[in-house]
Structures are given as structure tokens and as C-alpha cells.
Amino acid sequence: MSTVDKLTAFTGFGDSVLIPAVRRPLVQVGLVEDRGHCRQLIRNAAPATPGVYGWVDRNQRLLYVGKSKSLRHRLLSYFGKTQSDPKIDRMRQFSSRLVWEPISHELLALIREQELIFRWRPSFNRLGQPERRKPGFLCIGGGAAPCAFMASEATSSAEICIGPIVGLGDLRLAIESLNYVFGLRDCSDRTRMSLSNQLPLFNDLKHAQCIRFELDSCLGPCTGGCSSGKYRQAVQRAIAFLRGDDDSILANLKMEIEKAVARLAFERAAVVSQQLASLSWLARRLQQRRRQRHELTGQLPIPTFDHKPCQLNLDEGYVAGFTHRVSNRSSVTKPKRLEQNDGSLAVEWMLIVAGWFQKNADQKALLQRSTASSVAERATA
């Protein structure tokens, strides 16, 4: 999805990944000074349905985009007798009109809202901006001596790529701990590796490029003191942990903490305790993502304004399109290719879908299990 320049005059929200049957045309209402008159205009024109809305300033620029379960109720709240939020006061001061677009379902309104924030970058929207909440992907890869690293988007060049994972600070700490406890390197890919099929007969090792080898927290593939087979075993143990097949490392870290405390090595105990906390956090996040992949695949029945049967297709939480039955035929609509829709927007939609089902757990029962169409070139976990 291309970004609209902030100086572009606002003439409408624009096209959408949502099909026309779940959207109604844009409605615009000019604002006046009298608060009561504005409330009457909204009561007469705004429906009590889900939808998205926007504030447009006197220079015809979109200032803010929001969504609501009930457009009428939400818009009326902006014109109450008392308004405690200074941000709302500023929007009312600078705006010349309100616009809104009814949407047939709350989840679709959330998807549309994020689509519009990515497109228009409204200045009054803080949350939802692409640069505000960037999830990360945990990857293992990197030539002859793979290691764990973080990527801003999914990559097919990595041996394993898991995500998206929200919480970049915690993710960085978890990746650092992952490399340490499994003995994987964390140096640059430009560092020359000296792995071999067999260990050397003589203790003639190359000088390590960092202190981790001396601290026994890295197998030292750069020194020639580690065979490719031994390093590969460490990589496989790390991958088994990430896939949820082996979490014994957590128990081992707990035992190491107890031993360190017993010999009064409290500094060592603190370091291992931090590693245990980071990897435990990561294990919980990965378990949640695995559960989402299983649970959020299928077709969710969605109401339409034409009253024809329609389903939102989900593939591991990703928006995979719509199946809309018109007359005696069903048409399947897939999202635009991600060269046109920002790839990070597809990831953001997945996080929105996962969050919505977490708040509305009863809706999972409505998901009809099926093989949903995959999103073209989507970020995969």
C-alpha cells in the first residue's frame, strides 16, 4: 500500500482490502461552532454500527482516524458538555468536517482503521503508526556457523524464522541469552570461521575474536577448536527449544542458579537468572504464536450490507481474503499483492486479529476450520 503525502488534499479514504459488501460509502458532515447543532447532525446521519471515522482540517488534510463499535455513540462523545482530553479539544479546534465509513463488523473496522493509518499517516494518531509498534522476527542462520538474530521482517534466507513477536527490547535480550546458553556465536557474519569435520590433533587454536570463548559461553567456531558437527548439534538444540520440542534448557538454568547460590557465586546466579527470565518469556511468546497458528486458521462468518453469506478467510492469523456468496455462486477475493500493500501492514493485521480473538475468545468457536488461501508473499512464521 502506497503512503499518501500529508499535503495531499483529502477526498476520501480510498480503496481497501475489504470487499464492497462489508463497507458503505463515505459520509461527510461539516462542523459548526454550536456543539448542540453538531450532535444533532451526527444523530441524524451516523448509524449505530461499527465503522471508521476521520477528522479533516480546514486545509483538507486528514488529522485523525479512529474506529468504533458504534459510530453514532463514539462521534457524539466528542461533543459532550465537558471534554477532559486536550487532544480532542485541539482536533475540534482545527477540524472543519467529520467523515465516516460504516463497516459491517468490528474486526473489519479494526483492519480498515490500520489500513488507513498506514496510508494517510494522520498526525493525531500516535498508536498504530508503522514506526510505533514494530514487531520482530527471531531467525537462526548465517553461513557455516549459524546464530540467532533478529530481523525486522520475515526472510527466506534464514534456516528458521519465527514471528512476528511484539516487544523488541525483550526479544533482543532473549536472542542474546539464546546465543549464550547454547554456545552460538553472536559476532558479525564477516568474521572468518574455522570449522572442520574433526577437531585438531594439537591445541593450536586461533585467537578468539571476542571474550565469550574465554568465558565458555561460545563454542568458538572462529578459533578452529570446534568441529562443524559439534556446532551443528548446538544449533539443533536451539531450534528444538524454539519449536517447543525441548525445553530442558530452562530446567538446566534453574539448577545452575541453585548451584551458584550454594557456592555463594551470587553474581553468576544473577546472570543466569536474567537468562532464565528472558528464555522463559520467549518460550511463552512462542507457545502463544504456535497456538495462534493452529486456532486462527479458518473462515469467520461476517455480516454484510447486502445480506449475502460471507466469510473472512484467515491463514494462521493472517488476512487471506473473503468468500462472498452472491446468487448461487461464491466468489473468493484475496488481498492485493504485498508489493502494493505494505508487507508490514499484513503483519500488523495479524497482530490485530490475534488481539481481537484474545478479547473475544467466544468468537473462536465461529471459525470454520478450513484450508484458507495463503496470502501472497506474506510474512510467515
Side-chain angles (χ1 to χ4, degrees), residues 103-115:
I103 307 289
S104 63
H105 192 275
E106 181 196 7
L107 176 56
L108 301 186
L110 283 165
I111 291 172
R112 179 61 162 159
E113 177 192 33
Q114 193 61 56
E115 183 179 51

Side-chain angles (χ1 to χ4, degrees), residues 288-300:
Q288 181 185 45
R289 179 68 188 120
R290 286 190 293 270
R291 186 170 61 250
Q292 290 172 351
R293 292 179 64 178
H294 170 70
E295 295 178 349
L296 302 185
T297 295
Q299 295 180 314
L300 179 69

Side-chain angles (χ1 to χ4, degrees), residues 1-5 12-17 112 114-122 336 341 345:
M1 172 182 292
S2 61
T3 304
V4 179
D5 192 290
F13 284 142
D15 60 359
S16 176
V17 68
R112 179 61 162 159
Q114 193 61 56
E115 183 179 51
L116 296 176
I117 292 174
F118 265 59
R119 174 181 295 152
W120 289 95
R121 305 288 201 270
K336 298 175 182 178
N341 265 344
L345 179 55

